[in-house]
Amino acid sequence: MKKQHALSLARRYWFDALVLVGVGFGLAEVVINQGHKNGPEGPLWFDVLAMLAITLPLFLRRRFPFGAPVAVGAAIAASSFVDGHLIPSGLITNLAAISAFVLMGMLRDRTQAIAGLAYGLGVAAIVIHNDPNAGASNFVFISLVFAIAWTIGLLVSRKFHEADEARERAIEAERQREVRARLAVSDERARIARELHDVVGHSVSVMTVQASAARRLLRPHQDKEREALLVVEKTGREALAEMRRMVGVLRRPEEAPALAPQPSLEQIEGLIEHTREAGLPVELRIEGEPIELPAGIDLTAYRLVQEGLTNTLKHARAQRAEVVVRYEDGYVELTVSDDGQAGGNGGGSGHGLVGMQERVHVYGGELEAGPRPEGGFRLRARLPVA
């Protein structure tokens, strides 16, 4: 990991490192060659400042891709009026000029790139004019060198552009592949859900109905047979309810994480506490002796309370709410009431009353929902335990 990070930094800042070395070498070159034949003529302080003005703008090429090389050219042209030998005699100054032409050629905007080439050749003409030892042949040669540098930048830019396009195409292709994969998974889940509902659900329904019918045809003394058929009927109804829940998960995969692990009424105090933390005071009352509920009914009871409290929080603008869980002979009754003003129809929950009615009807229960005479909203469900 560290090696990859180091390589990434090296690829990004290698040119900056060269520029930094060039600044130091250029300053040393100015100091050492000051006053020599065909060397810088000074004054020294000006040549030092000119060298910095020529090289330092290259550090800003990412933020100012057009302005940085323009600044380099401006510094070269301006310094030639004071010291005509500084530019032609310096290796670093010439390398900075070549770098500026390469950067101009790499500009994505072709108008700017061509304008940069013309601007650079104009700077070269000024420098040649201010150099007493140069002539027309020098201008032709240096223009050819700069044009080659500009062309190299143009070709490099095209390669970078093609690489960026290829990278974008690869990212888009990967995104499309993921979308197709998700659609394929969704289609397969829907197909499995249909098969479960149409084939397995139908078979279990027939089995349950037949077991119930056979149980009712038994004679009074056939207690063992009646008990066995009752177990078959009960198991079939539970299997139907669980299968229906699983079909719902397959058809709505985004809900799967919320349904696993399966909650139950044993966790209702945690649900109440969570609702209180959300800002709604809730009173919980448990009446009767709690009994162990079948898994499907236990889950349905929890979901009913959860749905009722969620609707109260989102839509009722209530000041308080009350949850009552009443265990009766063969039934468990759940009541969620509030003192809010909204209709509480659960339209924003994703399930609403329709979803709750489906859950209750699977187990042969009853559901009532509507406004209370004293104000607010009440949701009451009665589920058979046996």
Side-chain angles (χ1 to χ4, degrees):
M1 189 66 180
K2 292 183 179 180
K3 184 178 180 180
Q4 292 179 350
H5 183 64
L7 290 175
S8 177
L9 290 177
R11 283 194 295 266
R12 181 172 176 80
Y13 295 108
W14 66 271
F15 187 76
D16 299 87
L18 290 180
V19 172
L20 186 61
V21 172
V23 171
F25 188 82
L27 294 176
E29 185 181 33
V30 167
V31 173
I32 293 173
N33 295 332
Q34 187 73 32
H36 289 191
K37 183 180 180 181
N38 296 327
E41 296 179 346
L44 179 60
W45 65 268
F46 174 81
D47 289 342
V48 169
L49 293 179
M51 180 62 65
L52 294 175
I54 291 170
T55 54
L56 292 182
L58 294 175
F59 286 111
L60 304 176
R61 67 192 183 281
R62 294 188 183 89
R63 187 172 183 181
F64 305 103
F66 182 73
V70 167
V72 172
I76 289 175
S79 62
S80 68
F81 286 99
V82 178
D83 187 348
H85 286 175
L86 175 64
I87 308 304
S89 65
L91 172 64
I92 300 303
T93 54
N94 283 279
L95 290 178
I98 291 174
S99 300
F101 273 94
V102 173
L103 293 175
M104 286 292 191
M106 293 179 65
L107 293 173
R108 294 288 179 88
D109 189 333
R110 289 292 169 252
T111 301
Q112 285 187 344
I114 295 174
L117 175 62
Y119 170 80
L121 294 178
V123 170
I126 293 174
V127 172
I128 295 298
H129 177 269
N130 291 332
D131 183 6
N133 299 326
S137 60
N138 299 95
F139 175 73
V140 172
F141 174 76
I142 200 68
S143 297
L144 181 61
V145 172
F146 288 158
I148 293 174
W150 183 87
T151 304
I152 291 174
L154 183 67
L155 296 176
V156 171
S157 173
R158 183 175 300 174
K159 291 297 182 182
F160 283 165
H161 184 62
E162 292 175 355
D164 291 341
E165 289 183 341
R167 189 180 302 108
E168 291 175 359
R169 287 195 299 270
I171 293 174
E172 179 64 19
E174 180 65 18
R175 189 183 69 81
Q176 292 293 336
R177 186 191 66 80
E178 292 178 356
V179 170
R180 289 193 297 268
R182 286 196 297 268
L183 288 175
V185 171
S186 179
D187 291 342
E188 183 65 16
R189 292 169 72 102
R191 184 188 65 80
I192 295 173
R194 286 193 300 269
E195 291 184 357
L196 280 173
H197 182 273
D198 297 340
V199 179
V200 180
H202 176 72
S203 300
V204 176
S205 297
V206 171
M207 177 189 69
T208 304
V209 171
Q210 292 295 334
S212 177
R215 179 173 58 84
R216 287 172 172 81
L217 293 176
L218 292 177
R219 296 176 182 178
H221 66 276
Q222 293 179 293
D223 294 333
K224 292 183 178 181
E225 291 83 351
R226 183 177 292 102
E227 183 179 351
L229 289 173
L230 185 60
V231 171
V232 172
E233 181 183 349
K234 178 182 177 182
T235 304
R237 293 187 185 278
E238 291 182 0
L240 276 174
E242 293 304 305
M243 189 199 67
R244 184 165 186 165
R245 185 185 66 82
M246 293 305 300
V247 167
V249 174
L250 289 172
R251 287 178 174 170
R252 297 181 295 274
E254 69 276 5
E255 297 180 6
L259 296 174
Q262 298 177 5
S264 67
L265 283 181
E266 293 180 356
Q267 303 170 11
I268 193 170
E269 292 185 359
L271 176 62
I272 298 297
E273 186 62 30
H274 179 73
T275 306
R276 289 170 181 162
E277 292 174 358
L280 177 65
V282 182
E283 178 183 352
L284 172 64
R285 292 207 327 264
I286 298 178
E287 301 177 356
E289 185 67 25
I291 60 174
E292 184 177 354
L293 302 175
I297 294 178
D298 205 2
L299 174 63
T300 298
Y302 180 91
R303 291 298 179 200
L304 286 167
V305 176
Q306 183 184 46
E307 188 71 20
L309 291 176
T310 300
N311 292 340
T312 300
L313 273 172
K314 290 185 176 180
H315 311 292
R317 299 191 295 274
Q319 299 300 316
R320 59 181 299 276
E322 182 183 53
V323 176
V324 179
V325 181
R326 181 180 295 110
Y327 293 92
E328 299 178 347
D329 186 19
Y331 290 90
V332 59
E333 185 176 280
L334 311 153
T335 305
V336 181
S337 55
D338 61 65
D339 60 355
Q341 303 173 9
N345 59 3
S349 67
H351 294 288
L353 290 179
V354 174
M356 288 187 280
Q357 286 172 351
E358 289 181 353
R359 286 180 178 271
V360 172
H361 290 166
V362 165
Y363 296 101
E366 301 173 358
L367 178 67
E368 298 176 2
R372 301 191 303 174
E374 64 273 24
F377 193 85
R378 175 186 290 117
L379 172 70
R380 177 185 289 128
R382 198 163 186 258
L383 296 170
V385 175

